[in-house]
């Protein structure tokens, strides 16, 4: 779903990709995605629905019993 009613499709896609990159097991990738996510969220905070963003983050960072320890750590 969309993260905000006034968001462009490109911004919606970008934010979702950046959030998914935060769970990378590569720390350099994770750091880069964190910096980019911070910049994008700061610049485009008005059109982004904070509750929908938190829901996406929660969904993307869920752990399960079938995950290996490195996946859980990431």
């Amino acid at each position: 779903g969309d993260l905000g009613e006034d968001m462009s499709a490109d911004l919606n896609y970008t934010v979702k990709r950046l959030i998914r990159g935060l769970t990378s097991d590569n720390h350099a990738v994770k750091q880069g995605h964190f910096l980019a996510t911070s910049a994008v969220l700061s610049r485009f905070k008005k059109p982004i629905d904070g509750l929908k963003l938190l829901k996406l983050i929660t969904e993307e960072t869920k752990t399960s019993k079938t995950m290996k320890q490195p996946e859980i750590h990431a």
Side-chain angles (χ1 to χ4, degrees):
D2 289 341
L3 295 175
E5 291 179 19
D6 297 329
M7 285 180 68
S8 70
D10 288 339
L11 178 58
N12 192 61
Y13 175 79
T14 299
V15 171
K16 287 180 179 181
R17 292 288 298 173
L18 287 170
I19 297 299
R20 289 181 185 122
L22 294 173
T23 61
S24 172
D25 57 353
N26 181 318
H27 290 292
V29 170
K30 194 182 303 193
Q31 288 173 336
H33 274 78
F34 177 79
L35 291 173
T37 301
S38 297
V40 168
L41 293 180
S42 176
R43 169 64 178 85
F44 296 100
K45 57 188 163 197
K46 279 197 172 187
I48 299 172
D49 183 321
L51 291 177
K52 289 180 180 179
L53 178 62
L54 288 175
K55 183 178 178 184
L56 172 67
I57 293 169
T58 302
E59 289 172 2
E60 290 295 324
T61 57
K62 280 183 185 175
T63 57
S64 70
K65 294 178 182 177
T66 60
M67 295 175 105
K68 295 177 184 168
Q69 191 59 37
E71 292 173 309
I72 293 171
H73 177 71

